[in-house]
Amino acid sequence: MRFFLDTANLEELKTGARWGVVDGVTTNPTLIAKEGVPIEEQIRKICDIVNGDVSAEVVATDTDGMLTEGRKLAKIHKNVVVKVPLTRDGIRACSLFSREGIRVNVTLCFSAGQAILAAKAGAYFVSPFVGRIDDTGWNGMELIRDIVQIYKNYSFTTQILAASLRHSNHVIDAAKAGAHVGTMPFKVLDALFSHPLTDKGLDQFLKDYAKAFQDAPVSR
Ligand code: G3P
């Protein structure tokens, strides 16, 4: 499973990149707006930090507008994946982009039927939003399992990018379900490191070692 950071914050991305476990980045208009920097400038900076796919989302809602914005975004860096919403105009833009060789992440996917449309339009990624489905009282992970099954049945090559992952169990369950990618906020990635037995075990190892050797004579 590839790990993407779902953030446009450069400090978070630098920290994640230093750990060596970040394979890419997803952004959306909300995350870009939070950083207060125009999208093209911010995406360029992100591509300098993380060597992997970087999703940059259009804000136009009509196909022609999406094509104009998306082509501009795709020119920023070879790793840019253009993100479009799962609307009729978005799906049409996706199929046109894919014929031009521009990779597309179809976002705001909330049903298996929508995921089939994204695959048929040649999407590189489809982004089902697990947490937001959970918020409505349904089971977001069921959707991931359904899409994995359907894509397998028809050998669709679109990769399933599990999004809106809110905690460690979301990441683990998406991996068990067979999602190709999990995108998560920095705090979720950070939380994956934590286990009280790791802390306790390390503490004990260091204490035992210090007790045995701190007063021992230096060997020659
Ligand atoms: O990539 C989609 C993600 O940003 C949505 O997450 O937690 O706002 O539902 P959330």
Side-chain angles (χ1 to χ4, degrees):
M1 186 193 219
R2 289 199 283 158
F3 273 7
F4 286 5
L5 272 179
D6 195 31
T7 180
N9 182 277
L10 304 183
E11 290 314 309
E12 291 181 346
L13 291 168
K14 280 180 197 163
T15 305
R18 266 201 302 272
W19 289 335
V21 294
V22 173
D23 305 302
V25 182
T26 49
T27 66
N28 60 38
T30 305
L31 295 171
I32 293 286
K34 240 186 187 171
E35 302 308 313
V37 176
I39 182 162
E40 291 181 26
E41 192 182 328
Q42 195 68 1
I43 294 293
R44 196 165 294 119
K45 288 179 182 164
I46 291 172
C47 290
D48 285 342
I49 296 169
V50 175
N51 182 21
D53 294 332
V54 174
S55 288
E57 189 162 344
V58 300
V59 288
T61 54
D62 63 300
T63 302
D64 286 345
M66 289 182 197
L67 291 174
T68 306
E69 273 181 45
R71 286 179 189 131
K72 244 194 232 168
L73 292 169
K75 278 200 187 112
I76 297 174
H77 194 282
K78 65 176 174 35
N79 289 344
V80 169
V81 178
V82 176
K83 210 169 169 189
V84 303
L86 210 156
T87 57
R88 288 169 181 78
D89 281 75
I91 288 295
R92 184 161 166 251
C94 176
S95 69
L96 293 168
F97 277 138
S98 71
R99 278 182 237 163
E100 286 177 28
I102 291 178
R103 296 179 305 153
V104 180
N105 177 352
V106 177
T107 189
L108 291 167
C109 173
F110 293 95
S111 78
Q114 290 181 320
I116 296 172
L117 289 170
K120 288 182 70 65
Y124 182 70
F125 291 129
V126 66
S127 293
F129 278 31
V130 175
R132 290 196 193 181
I133 294 176
D134 288 356
D135 291 344
T136 64
W138 294 75
N139 184 343
M141 212 49 73
E142 280 298 318
L143 175 59
I144 302 292
R145 283 189 275 273
D146 284 350
I147 302 172
V148 168
Q149 174 72 62
I150 293 166
Y151 281 12
K152 203 185 253 170
N153 289 349
Y154 294 97
S155 305
F156 284 131
T157 55
T158 301
Q159 294 180 54
I160 302 160
L161 192 161
S164 185
L165 301 179
R166 307 265 177 80
H167 48 72
S168 300
N169 281 339
H170 269 161
V171 179
I172 295 162
D173 289 341
K176 281 162 75 179
H180 302 89
V181 186
T183 190
M184 63 206 83
F186 179 82
K187 68 169 194 260
V188 174
L189 178 65
D190 190 53
L192 285 175
F193 285 88
S194 306
H195 199 287
L197 292 179
T198 303
D199 299 339
K200 196 175 163 210
L202 180 59
D203 192 50
Q204 191 64 51
F205 286 159
L206 297 180
K207 274 189 191 139
D208 291 345
Y209 192 85
K211 208 159 106 194
F213 293 112
Q214 71 188 354
D215 299 327
V218 180
S219 60
R220 292 179 192 274

